Structures are given as C-alpha cells and as structure tokens.
Amino acid sequence: MKNNVMNQNWVIPMDLPMPLAFYAGIGIASRSTLWRWEAEGLRIIRKGGRTYVQPADLRAFLLSNDTSVPISGGGTQENPPQLTGTDL
C-alpha cells in the first residue's frame, strides 16, 4: 500500500528546524525538490554542514506558490474545510 502523506496526522513543532531528510522521509518532497524550491525562494538553513527548513517557512512557501496545497484541518486553500459544531 502506498504511503499517502495526506492521510497522515503529523504534528510538527512550527518553531523547530527539521533536516531535509525529515521532509523526504515523510513524503512531502524529495531532497532534490527541496533544493529546487530553495532556488524558487524557500529559506533553507545551513548549520555545521547540515541543512534544515523551518516548518513554518515550508508551509508559507507552499501556500504562496500552489493554491492546491493542503492546509491544517483538511481541505485546500481553494477549498477550505467546513467546520461543524463538533469541531468547535
């Protein structure tokens, strides 16, 4: 069965930089895609020979470059999730 990232419930601290391999490992993007996104404006942090991306920076980059990117709570930026009484 193919691992579908959209069906996972990942909790990532938004203030902790994560290594590029983390994002590749959970299927968000390959390392080469992350390098390409850096050329397109994604902020990558280099420290001690390692490379990291802040989750908040990645989220902002994805939302600003692709309106079909999933957003927190399900749905997409174009079609946000509808809240029900049980969600409040």
Side-chain angles (χ1 to χ4, degrees):
M1 183 172 173
K2 187 176 179 179
N3 184 12
N4 186 344
V5 175
M6 300 308 145
N7 293 332
Q8 303 288 334
N9 289 322
W10 297 99
V11 177
I12 303 170
M14 296 304 278
D15 58 343
L16 180 64
M18 302 300 289
L20 297 186
F22 171 79
Y23 299 107
I26 63 172
I28 290 177
S30 69
R31 291 175 63 89
S32 59
T33 297
L34 291 164
W35 290 119
R36 182 172 40 84
W37 287 349
E38 180 187 29
E40 295 174 12
L42 176 63
R43 192 177 83 122
I44 292 184
I45 302 165
R46 291 180 178 78
K47 185 80 171 172
R50 302 201 180 248
T51 52
Y52 303 90
V53 174
Q54 291 275 124
D57 291 342
L58 179 60
R59 178 181 167 80
F61 174 81
L62 291 173
L63 289 174
S64 69
N65 289 298
D66 185 357
T67 60
S68 64
V69 173
I71 59 174
S72 178
T76 64
Q77 187 174 359
E78 291 175 335
N79 300 306
Q82 300 299 314
L83 296 179
T84 64
T86 59
D87 295 327
L88 303 177

